[in-house]
Every structure is written in C-alpha cells, then in structure tokens.
Amino acid sequence: MSMTSIITGQALIGGRNVMGNGASFQAFDPSKKQAIEPAFHAVDAQQIDQACRLAQAAFDLFRATSDEQRAVFLDTIAQQILALGDDLIVRAMTESGLPRMRLEGERGRTVNQLKLFADLLREGSWCDARIDSALPERQPPRPDLRLRMIGLGPVAVFAASNFPLAFSVAGGDTVSAFAAGCPVVLKAHSAHPGTSELVARAIVNAVQICALPAGVFSLLTGTGNGIGQTLVGHPAIQAVGFTGSRQGGIALMKVAAARAQPIPLYAEMSSINPVFLLPQALAARAEEIASGFAASLTMGVGQFCTNPGVVLALKGEDFSRFYQRAVAVLADVPCATMLTSGIAGSYQRGVQNLAGHADISVLAKAQMEEGKGGPALFMTTGGAFLAQEALHEEMFGPASLLVECDDMDQLRQIAESLEGQLTATVQMDDGDLEQAQQLLPILERKVGRILVNGFPTGVEVATAMVHGGPFPATSDGRSSSVGTAAIQRFLRPVSYQNFPQSLLPAVLRDEPEFKIWRRRDGALTKE
Ligand code: NAP
C-alpha cells in the first residue's frame, strides 16, 4: 500500500484530516462477513457546519475560475484517482463484494465522466450565453440584455451504495456540481467508507494542485440519518444530489422543502423499469429476448436502479416460450454476495413476500443464503397487477415480475397505471410498429429514457443521456443525473442589463476571449 492510499478513518473538512467527534463504526466485508480496519468516526453538527461554511466561503472564488481552470481540475481529479492504482480497486472489492472486473470498469467510467465534463467546459456552451442587443430607436427602446448561467452555490451530495466509484465521492453528482462551479460537501455512504476516503484524498490533492480554495470539497463520514438531515438543512447548502432509497429520498425532500429557504433536491430513488414485449417480436425472438433479459436482470446481482423489474406481454404460447427460456438461464445463475447485509435482507424479504402472495406464481426462486441474493422470477395476471399497487414496488435485486396481459388494451392500461420510471423498454419488430406508436405517448409521460430492442441496464455517460424520470423515479423529472445534462441541475440564469463591457462576465462581452456558441439576437453563432 502506497502513502497516498493509507486509510485513516478521518473525515476531510476543507482539505484537512479531521477525526469525527461522533460514534465510531467500521467498514464491513460482505463476502467474508467481517469488519474491516480502521474505525471511522461520524462527524457532529459542528463539523458539518464547518464544512458547509468553508464551501460557502469558497463559492465566489471557485465560480470565478475559468472554464479551462475547472476543466484542468476535473482532469487532475481523474489523474489522482488513477494514481491510487490497485489499492483503490482492492479496497472497493473488499467493501462492496463486487468483482474486480466490474470495479475496474467502474473506475474507467468515473474517469471518463470527469473527462467528459472537462470537454463540456472547454466547449463552453453549457453557460447558455445569450445577447439581445439594445434597440434604442424602438418604442419603447429595448435595453442591452445578456444572460448566462451560474452555479447555485454549495451542493450536498449523498453517495450511492451501489456504485462505489461512479455514483459516489467523485461520481456524476460531484462532477456536475464542480463543472457548474459549485463546491461539494459529500456525505459518504457507510457501505464503503475506505473507498470514499481514498477518492476524497484524490480530490483534495487535485484541489491543492490546482490552487483552489480548500472549501471546494469536504467529505463527511458517519452513519445515521442525522448527518444527512443536518447537511440538507444547513443554510449554506443550495442544492442536493441524492441516490438511494425512496424512503430516504422522500425524507430529505421534506427537509429541503421545510427550510427557511427551500432548495432543490435531486433524488434518484426507485424504478421498476417496465419491459414491453410486443407480439411480433415475441413470436419471432422469444428465446433470444429471454436470454438477454436474464443477463440484464442478474448483472451485478440486480443491484442497478435500471434493473428490469417488470415484464409485460400478451398471454399465450410465445410468452410461455419466453419465460421457459428465462427460467432455464436463471437456473444457472448462482447466488452472489450483495452490497450490504441490509440490502440482502430487504431483497430476501421482498422475494419471500411475493412468493407467498395469493395472486403470484413462482417461476424461479434461487435458494437464498445469508447476505446473498439469487434470481427470482414471478408471474401474475394483468388484472391482479392493475388491482394491487403493492405489486408495482421496486425489489432491489435480481427479481422480476412477469405480467400476462389479456390484450393490448390491458397492456396499455397497465402502462398508464405505472408510476414514474427511469426507463421503459420496448421489444418490437416491424410488424409491431402500430402498437409501439400507441404505447409511445404513454411512455413519454412516464419515463426518462425509452429503449427499443435493448435492455435498460447499462447507462451510457453521454450528452443525450437522460437518467431521470417523473416521481418516484426521481424527485424532479426535469433533469438527468447521468451525462452532461446533469450540470443543469446546479445552475440558474442571471441577466445583465445595460452593462458596460468592462463589467460584463467574459463570456458575454462583444469580443470574448474564446469563441463559444452564443445566442445573439435569437440566432446561434460563434461570431
Ligand atoms: P439509503 O438507505 O436511502 O441511504 C442513502 C444515503 O442517504 C445514506 O448516506 C444514508 O445515510 C442517507 N439517508 C437515508 N435515509 C435518510 C434519512 N431519512 N435522512 C437522512 N439521510 C438519510 O440507500 P442505501 O443504503 O443505498 O440502500 C437501501 C435501499 O435503497 C436499497 O435496498 C434499494 O432499495 C435502494 N437503492 C436504490 C438505488 C437507486 O439507484 N435508485 C441505489 C441504491 C439503493 P445513513 O445510511 O448514514 O443513514
């Protein structure tokens, strides 16, 4: 282990190592079922306050940096994460039970995400610069108006348990906040505190290398809802990014809304990601679709927010062929360690409840072991699914519910009955076009991403990605937590009226230093 990868169990408040004043806890190896050294300590209210005040003090300096300076900062974080080498992967494997290949892939995703946002900053159009020239001759005269987006202020980020790297300390929420010029106060997830500390050190190193104010980033350690509640309630915090349970997200939405100054909270919570098997596709490719579905369902022990939790098709021979193949493929998938004992316990309880449900048939159910999750496949009728909202609830793990619909009307009725979702998938062939066209307007209202002939797991970090959707998929369906669109969550517009050139922000001057796309008198131009 190198010097940079020594884990101390401390929080990092404005770049300083600080031992939390609260209760101690340890990371846990879910594979070996044993605690891991060293002990961590929860921060107390005064330490949270300190981190938030430092973030507030850093905000004006940080947002005054050029796009190039922040791009270099993001590139430097990526370099510092890679410099942690194998120590980071080994610690993340130990804390999460996830295999090496998955975590190496996730590190690559994290680094590429940082680079993508650095590219976004260098391209410059993120700030949505607009210029409406003065029209002094018009009656009434029009003033000179110029608009750009600025960061909201310090952002509180809650790391997700299921992506210890890509949705954690240097994950999508943190990176999009940094790109927007917002300092971040990060609540580490207690499922991987050591991994969090290592990545936090990489960020702190990057802050120092780039000579940024220390309050740009702080890492808060600890378990218990009090830390999150205090953080979201702190007056310095101006926005929140959260990935986790519906219960936790809703609790924090209430805190954000009840503040003297309410703030936006972007929570990504729960989704069952319906998969619609349209008749022609099912007739032509039932077995092939079933194999793809089973792989998507069981990838990462089903611990993805985009896991295909419900499959809808017309009852009949083709759907039978589909589920027979799915059952055969799932029979070969072993039980595997889940991220935490809490997640495994709630998955197993969910599977048990469904298995004992009067309106459910069990098609497949692995023998579960402590701390592990294995595949489970259930079936119900369209009528029962429509009548019981409890059957629409997310089961976080490799379980899915097949719904046999009487006809296409009932299938559309079910689509209409669903809550907001991150994704919907349509398996279709040319002959299904009309049915797909009828389904599409419903799905557009319900979900953030609609896929044709694929599976919902695997979320590309890209410009046109939407990882979001109406409540309860997220708390605010107008945004995305993955891809460059994520920066929009932490921005707001400011308009400058009749400003002298010398006082204008650089991007809004008549002759900007760098040519970026701007909307000048209504037309997009780089001139
Ligand atoms: P979680 O229990 O919601 O916790 C996420 C983070 O929020 C943790 O840092 C937690 O802090 C904090 N938190 C939770 N409830 C809070 C509250 N009422 N007030 C203040 N802070 C609160 O999520 P999890 O531990 O990752 O997993 C539990 C379940 O969440 C899973 O079984 C799954 O159903 C769901 N989940 C969904 C996704 C998704 O992508 N949508 C991802 C992961 C998990 P403390 O733990 O320190 O209290």
Side-chain angles (χ1 to χ4, degrees), residues 440-489:
L440 191 57
I442 307 173
L443 300 184
E444 284 174 332
R445 276 189 278 109
K446 296 279 173 185
V447 319
R449 178 166 59 108
I450 308 167
L451 310 75
V452 169
N453 292 342
F455 292 96
T457 43
V459 182
E460 186 72 30
V461 182
T463 307
M465 173 53 69
V466 173
H467 190 63
F471 183 87
T474 73
S475 55
D476 187 337
R478 291 169 297 178
S479 58
S480 173
S481 59
V482 174
T484 52
I487 194 174
Q488 303 300 333
R489 300 171 301 165

Side-chain angles (χ1 to χ4, degrees), residues 263-324:
I263 53 169
L265 179 133
Y266 299 98
E268 196 244 285
M269 300 175 285
S270 75
S271 184
I272 54 173
N273 305 298
V275 178
F276 297 88
L277 310 179
L278 297 188
Q280 300 294 321
L282 196 56
R285 303 182 276 117
E287 285 83 3
E288 180 195 325
I289 299 171
S291 300
F293 158 73
S296 174
L297 180 68
T298 54
M299 186 191 294
V301 204
Q303 299 166 115
F304 292 121
C305 41
T306 49
N307 210 42
V310 63
V311 181
L312 303 110
L314 302 190
K315 68 181 170 199
E317 178 58 24
D318 296 331
F319 202 12
S320 304
R321 285 195 293 122
F322 168 85
Y323 70 69
Q324 281 161 13

